[in-house]
């Protein structure tokens, strides 16, 4: 019976991806023209005339700037900007993209995203995608480095937010992610499809916003990743929260900051984090969390370490095997 229900759910999901659900079409992250169109529209609507030194005027019927105002600020014709906003970014010069970035007040992440969208279809981008499809697994040296971090969780993730390698504290912190039924340990899927995430993240809305923004950034950077397209399609079909946030068109880099977690075994912890691009593979990010020394969070992190040692002690060999095989998430 359980197998039949899983089959039915799979068939339902596949059907939903092919047609609208509740009046909504699933997101197609592979449609670069649609991404460019929605992004430029949303950024234009966000900028007010006074922010760029233009008069407000009367009878303004659009939210934000007019197309003619963006074109004037960027030093291009209205006709050309209209073409760009309709999604025809491929082939736009670096000078034009820079001018658009300035006119629309884009931050670094948004500017990079705009440039990534303009690169779609360029042969070199496709070649790099073929390399990106090669399977990845952590080297023994990298695993030793992760395991040497004993004060907090340390892990490697890809742009799809798959957890590819962890130390024991990261495995313990994200225990819900690893025990969630589905296709491997994925932070985005856990955030939107696992009800436990609402308790795990005390500030769930902020985490959800950041998750969607990072996935959209990755969709612009790696537009040919079929696994990423499938993930975004699944989330847009199964989660109204995801679909609404995706429509906002936000992008961001994930560098450093603080996050709060409410672990079911030890309670709430506030952890500082630092994300670093791997020099040996720029597709991947190493993230390390750490509590403030001497804080309640540090005490709870020590409790989490004891909890993890007891939980995984009897499965230590299986834990090593998990480290050796988890790279299949990129297959």
């Amino acid at each position: 019976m359980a197998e039949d229900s899983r089959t039915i759910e799979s068939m339902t999901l596949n059907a939903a991806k092919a047609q609208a659900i509740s009046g909504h079409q699933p997101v197609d992250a592979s449609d670069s023209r649609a991404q460019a169109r929605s992004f430029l529209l949303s950024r234009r609507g966000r900028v007010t005339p006074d922010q760029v030194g233009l008069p407000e005027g009367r009878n303004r019927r659009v939210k934000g700037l007019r197309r003619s105002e963006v074109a004037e600020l960027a030093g291009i014709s209205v006709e050309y900007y209209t073409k760009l906003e309709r999604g025809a970014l491929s082939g736009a010069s670096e000078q034009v993209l820079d001018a658009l970035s300035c006119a629309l007040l884009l931050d670094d992440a948004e500017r990079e995203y705009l440039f990534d969208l303009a690169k779609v279809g360029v042969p070199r981008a496709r070649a790099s995608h073929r390399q990106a499809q090669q399977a990845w697994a952590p080297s023994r040296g990298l695993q030793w480095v992760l395991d040497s971090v004993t004060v907090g969780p340390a892990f490697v993730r890809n742009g799809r937010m798959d957890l590819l390698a962890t130390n024991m504290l990261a495995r313990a912190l994200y225990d819900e992610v690893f025990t969630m039924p589905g296709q491997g340990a994925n932070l985005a899927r856990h955030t939107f499809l696992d009800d436990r995430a609402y308790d795990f993240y005390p500030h769930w809305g902020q985490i959800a916003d950041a998750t969607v923004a990072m996935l959209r950034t990755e969709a612009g950077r790696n537009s040919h990743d079929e696994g990423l397209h499938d993930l975004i399609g699944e989330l847009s079909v199964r989660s109204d929260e995801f679909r609404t946030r995706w429509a906002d068109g936000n992008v961001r880099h994930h560098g450093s900051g603080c996050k709060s977690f409410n672990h079911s075994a030890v309670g709430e912890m506030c952890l500082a984090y630092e994300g670093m691009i791997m020099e040996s593979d720029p597709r991947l990010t190493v993230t390390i969390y750490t509590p403030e020394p001497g804080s309640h969070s540090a005490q709870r992190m020590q409790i989490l370490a004891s909890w993890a040692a007891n939980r995984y002690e009897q499965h230590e060999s299986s834990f090593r095997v998990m480290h050796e095989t988890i790279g299949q998430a990129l297959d």
Side-chain angles (χ1 to χ4, degrees), residues 48-71:
T48 59
D50 62 289
Q51 287 180 291
V52 291
L54 295 175
E56 181 71 30
R58 296 182 178 180
N59 300 322
R60 182 171 289 273
R61 298 179 180 178
V62 297
K63 180 181 178 181
L65 298 178
R66 301 185 178 98
R67 285 176 177 169
S68 60
E69 291 170 332
V70 176

Side-chain angles (χ1 to χ4, degrees), residues 239-283:
S239 171
D240 291 337
E241 294 278 9
F242 177 88
R243 187 167 53 245
T244 299
R245 285 171 167 81
W246 183 270
D248 290 338
N250 295 324
V251 296
R252 64 168 289 180
H253 292 152
H254 191 62
S256 60
C258 292
K259 284 184 182 178
S260 294
F261 301 90
N262 183 26
H263 194 278
S264 59
V266 302
E268 190 165 339
M269 296 179 289
C270 182
L271 306 177
Y273 68 88
E274 192 73 33
M276 298 158 282
I277 301 298
M278 281 183 56
E279 186 71 24
S280 60
D281 192 336
R283 297 172 300 150

Side-chain angles (χ1 to χ4, degrees), residues 22-77:
S22 302
H24 295 282
Q25 290 289 344
V27 172
D28 183 3
S30 63
D31 188 346
S32 59
R33 291 180 67 94
Q35 286 190 66
R37 183 165 56 251
S38 64
F39 179 68
L40 288 176
L41 277 170
S42 66
R43 300 310 92 170
R44 177 163 66 87
R46 186 187 61 177
V47 181
T48 59
D50 62 289
Q51 287 180 291
V52 291
L54 295 175
E56 181 71 30
R58 296 182 178 180
N59 300 322
R60 182 171 289 273
R61 298 179 180 178
V62 297
K63 180 181 178 181
L65 298 178
R66 301 185 178 98
R67 285 176 177 169
S68 60
E69 291 170 332
V70 176
E72 178 183 351
L73 291 167
I76 58 179
S77 68

Side-chain angles (χ1 to χ4, degrees), residues 27 29 32 35-36 38-39 43 107-120 157-161 208-225 228-229 231-232 242 245-255 277 282-283 285:
V27 172
S32 59
Q35 286 190 66
S38 64
F39 179 68
R43 300 310 92 170
D107 61 24
D108 290 343
E110 292 168 331
R111 180 183 180 279
E112 181 179 321
Y113 180 67
L114 181 68
F115 273 70
D116 285 336
L117 290 176
K119 293 176 184 176
V120 173
R157 68 164 179 83
N158 60 15
R160 295 199 300 266
M161 306 190 75
D209 289 342
T211 298
V212 174
M214 287 188 288
L215 286 179
R216 181 176 275 279
T217 302
E218 181 66 13
R221 178 168 43 231
N222 193 3
S223 62
H224 306 294
D225 186 338
L228 176 63
H229 301 162
L231 173 64
I232 292 171
F242 177 88
R245 285 171 167 81
W246 183 270
D248 290 338
N250 295 324
V251 296
R252 64 168 289 180
H253 292 152
H254 191 62
I277 301 298
R283 297 172 300 150
T285 300

Side-chain angles (χ1 to χ4, degrees), residues 18 20 28 49 60 103 105 144 152 159 162 164 175 193 207 221 238 251 255 264 271 278 288 302 309:
D28 183 3
R60 182 171 289 273
L105 305 182
W144 293 340
D162 296 315
L164 304 178
D175 189 66
L193 302 182
I207 298 297
R221 178 168 43 231
R238 298 177 62 180
V251 296
S264 59
L271 306 177
M278 281 183 56
I288 299 176
Q302 292 177 349

Side-chain angles (χ1 to χ4, degrees), residues 131-147:
Q131 293 176 346
Q133 294 306 296
Q134 297 175 1
W136 182 91
S139 66
R140 287 191 299 169
L142 174 58
Q143 190 60 59
W144 293 340
V145 170
L146 294 175
D147 290 338

